[in-house]
Amino acid sequence: MNNIKIVKADTIQHLQDPKLLQLANTISGIVNKTKQGIAASVNTAIVEAYWNIGKHIVEFEQQGEVRAKYGTGLLKQLGKILRIQIGKGFGHSNLYAMRKFYVYYPNFQTVSGKLSWSHICELLKVDDELERNFYERECIAEHWSLRALRRQMDSGLFMRLALSKEKEGVLALAHEGVNPSDIQKPEDVVRDTYLVEFLGLPVKKRIKESELQQLLCKNMKTFLLELGKGFLFQEEQYGMTINNRHYHVDLLFYHRILRCHVLIDLKRGEVTHRDIGQMNLYLGYFANEIMIEGENPPIGIILSRYKDDLMVEYATYGMDTNLFVSKYELLLPNIEELRAMVRRIVE
């Protein structure tokens, strides 16, 4: 009986009072905003403290006699002392991260209040400055969660984007990230290959297109991350009726930067010329029936497991340039090989 919460009738009546509810919402907004401000202030203070710790360690190491006396064992010995004085959290590995933080970011203002310590620790794993700069800028601009940052780093997003560019393009990508002003045409948003390792599908398993669609919708947040900047999910199995015949496109998106619909059809195997003709039909329908004034023509992407480039070239001859055939890969790429290829472009 003690656990039963009794709500009086007059309390319920007060809860239904619009003016009282408005007052409650205002107070809740103030409290939530204050909590967010406190959390941001605490994060900034912690990150600054760790940066200063790294700075003091580096400056201490730079004394010749200290380097000779302690050598590589400095952080281990320092960690033992700090564990006694402060407690957990200042062992060898954390002190190493703080030292690395200062070395990689000698100007604290570049990350002040923008990233959490957990995000920074992930970025510190990337030794290549160009690659690290890219992930840092995109993480801040797109408000990536820690999980999203890890996924993009593990999938080699920077390298996959950089391999399609010349040296100047790679440098711009690293220093500016993916700038929305650079997205001006369909080719700027459609990739030749999409990585869907997050679905956890075995490479040899034959999966139905409906199952692939369900898995992508179930993992839509991650799929949007893979699609890139500007994509908004609208609907699955979008229906169209043409001359009393019914058709469905697997996934329908809208691109907020290009201001157009993006239609995606999924194929479990190799795409055929019939699939291309069908997508062209869908694009014609959207251009004439769905597109409104101020919008741009729709984009069609056929996402298949395999792609015959020559067949695609002939099958799309004379067709709408907004029709693309892309592949999806089930396994993570070899990051080191991709990194080496990007270095060759830059050098």
Side-chain angles (χ1 to χ4, degrees), residues 165-183:
K165 300 179 181 293
E166 300 293 334
K167 178 179 178 179
E168 290 74 15
V170 175
L171 295 175
L173 187 67
H175 295 307
E176 300 172 16
V178 181
N179 196 326
S181 63
D182 295 335
I183 299 176

Side-chain angles (χ1 to χ4, degrees), residues 51-79 81 95 99 102-103:
W51 182 87
N52 278 311
I53 290 171
K55 178 183 178 182
H56 283 290
I57 291 172
V58 170
E59 291 177 348
F60 187 83
E61 285 177 325
Q62 287 173 346
Q63 302 174 46
E65 58 188 48
V66 168
R67 188 185 298 111
K69 183 177 181 180
Y70 295 101
T72 57
L74 170 65
L75 295 182
K76 290 183 179 179
Q77 295 182 55
L78 179 61
I81 298 172
L95 290 174
R99 180 190 180 281
Y102 174 74
V103 171

Side-chain angles (χ1 to χ4, degrees), residues 92 141 296 298 300 310 342 347:
H92 171 258
N296 290 307
L310 186 61
V342 172
E347 293 170 0

